[in-house]
Amino acid sequence: MNYNNSGIGSGSRTSSRTFEFGRTYVVRPKGKHQATIVWLHGLGDKGSSWAQLLETLPLTNIKWICPTAPSRPVALFGGFPCTAWFDVGEISEEGPDDVEGLDASAAHVANLLSTEPADIKVGVGGFSMGAAIALYSATCRTLGQYGNGNPYQVNLSAVVGLSGWLPCSRTLRSRMERSYDAVRRAASLPILLCHGSADDVVAHNHGEKSAQALNSVGFRNLVFRTYNGMGHYTIPEETREVCTWLTTKLGLEGS
């Protein structure tokens, strides 16, 4: 595993805010490099936490890129600053969406993947708030643009969301209905969503509703898994499911 610091050029500049992303950790493939996945941590965490876990997985053909979110005031914590991919006041379908922050983080992910070789399949995954960015990236990919209208140009091959939710779900249907190409791309994008039934941070109901919202607008290649008794964390059973699913969907060879 190695890492680098993001410089000024790594910040995503928008009309009113500049986001400086933290340290990025990279887990190199132990076998033939076939796929690269950006994996995003949850609220208040950092990239190194997940890099250490991902390094132990039996997925020797995957390169993992684990960035660290910018530190910013978070409304959910009364404005207290912590690492966050976007601002959030409440975790629900009814809360306001920080489209500016969502776009900045999705663009950072796309930028990290944009330099991968053409023959390498790319994907994005994450936990909790990181899963929210992964799902937001999936919608940007299918729509061909970010929330601000700028073009999204990364061809994602797989998306994984653990214990997360779908941002901007209220406007997704109307945006999807304007584009036949978006519906076609949605139908072919593999998505795996996993959630614990005892999650007391992001309720299982939010994860389930997110899966239903995606499925209803054309994301047909979607699997939603429930883990009975699991809280807001991961367990070996879930990790094995992710490994098996990625191996199949990305067509990974054995080491």
Side-chain angles (χ1 to χ4, degrees), residues 92-111:
S92 75
E93 295 79 14
E94 305 305 320
D97 291 302
D98 174 20
V99 176
E100 191 177 19
L102 288 161
D103 279 348
S105 289
H108 187 62
V109 171
N111 185 53

Side-chain angles (χ1 to χ4, degrees), residues 32-93:
K32 178 184 176 182
H33 183 198
Q34 294 180 282
T36 296
I37 296 177
V38 171
W39 190 270
L40 305 167
H41 62 75
L43 183 63
D45 204 355
K46 55 187 177 181
S48 60
S49 298
W50 281 92
Q52 293 168 6
L53 171 63
L54 296 169
E55 197 167 25
T56 68
L57 299 184
L59 295 171
T60 59
N61 306 117
I62 294 180
K63 171 185 172 183
W64 300 94
I65 302 176
C66 303
T68 299
S71 181
R72 71 180 82 201
V74 176
L76 186 66
F77 297 152
F80 185 82
C82 68
T83 53
W85 299 110
F86 54 94
D87 190 19
V88 59
E90 60 176 304
I91 300 173
S92 75
E93 295 79 14

